[in-house]
Amino acid sequence: MTVHLIKLCVGVSDVNQLIQEHERLTKQALKRKKPVEDHHWTRMRPKRADEVLDGGSLYWVIRGVIRVRHRILRLDDVTDADGQEYCSIIYDPKVTLVEPRPRRAFQGWRYLEAEDAPPDLPNQRQALANAAAEGDMPADMLAELRTLGLF
């Protein structure tokens, strides 16, 4: 049975900024002839690793809203230069936009049961265009447009 991980996307103000960062990392990987994958280090390895690796994704909360996900490829055990052990969540850098859902702040990562995960937006190309337009709008205006069903 699949379970997902959810994490706050700290330091990222909108979906476009996240996409640009992943595009930059993808170009670097291709230039170095490395696999095109991204990672996030965390102190704790998921105890439900088998469920996470059974089709799980890493969902990101941006400015209080679940907005995107990345398919998790594997979980690697890594050690930093000081000898501290971590779990590296290796994921596909392809950004998949999901139905926006509000989510309160939390620390670290949390499990997200498959039945609670927001669905992918049906038209990713249009969703990306909308995300680009959102970057220029004030948050209160965007919330109002969503309430009216216009965005």
Side-chain angles (χ1 to χ4, degrees):
M1 184 169 213
T2 302
V3 69
H4 307 288
L5 299 178
I6 185 168
K7 176 110 180 82
L8 297 182
C9 201
V10 178
V12 173
S13 60
D14 60 39
V15 173
N16 287 324
Q17 184 181 358
L18 180 70
I19 290 169
Q20 289 170 357
E21 178 63 16
H22 285 289
E23 286 173 351
R24 185 184 68 77
L25 293 170
T26 297
K27 286 178 187 174
Q28 284 181 349
L30 291 171
K31 197 179 218 181
R32 295 182 195 154
K33 297 183 178 165
K34 301 258 184 182
V36 178
E37 54 189 28
D38 204 354
H39 68 276
H40 176 76
W41 284 22
T42 182
R43 291 286 306 262
M44 302 300 294
R45 181 179 183 83
K47 292 185 180 4
R48 298 171 67 183
D50 290 340
E51 293 171 88
V52 169
L53 295 173
D54 185 28
S57 289
L58 179 58
Y59 284 79
W60 291 105
V61 177
I62 300 173
R63 294 177 63 190
V65 179
I66 302 171
R67 297 297 312 271
V68 301
R69 72 174 181 86
H70 294 277
R71 185 175 52 88
I72 295 174
L73 303 173
R74 65 182 187 276
L75 301 171
D76 291 348
D77 294 317
V78 293
T79 305
D80 71 5
D82 297 327
Q84 178 66 49
E85 294 181 357
Y86 293 88
C87 175
S88 181
I89 303 168
I90 309 296
Y91 55 90
D92 184 340
K94 179 179 180 278
V95 173
T96 302
L97 281 83
V98 299
E99 181 181 285
R101 290 223 181 125
R103 183 70 181 233
R104 291 182 188 234
F106 55 90
Q107 289 187 355
W109 54 263
R110 298 286 184 265
Y111 291 112
L112 179 63
E113 299 298 332
E115 60 270 9
D116 297 330
D120 295 350
L121 292 174
N123 185 338
Q124 288 292 307
R125 182 172 291 171
Q126 183 61 48
L128 288 168
N130 290 347
E134 286 177 20
D136 300 332
M137 287 188 210
D140 56 341
M141 179 190 300
L142 187 57
E144 182 67 21
L145 289 171
R146 280 197 182 116
T147 302
L148 296 170
L150 299 174
F151 214 88

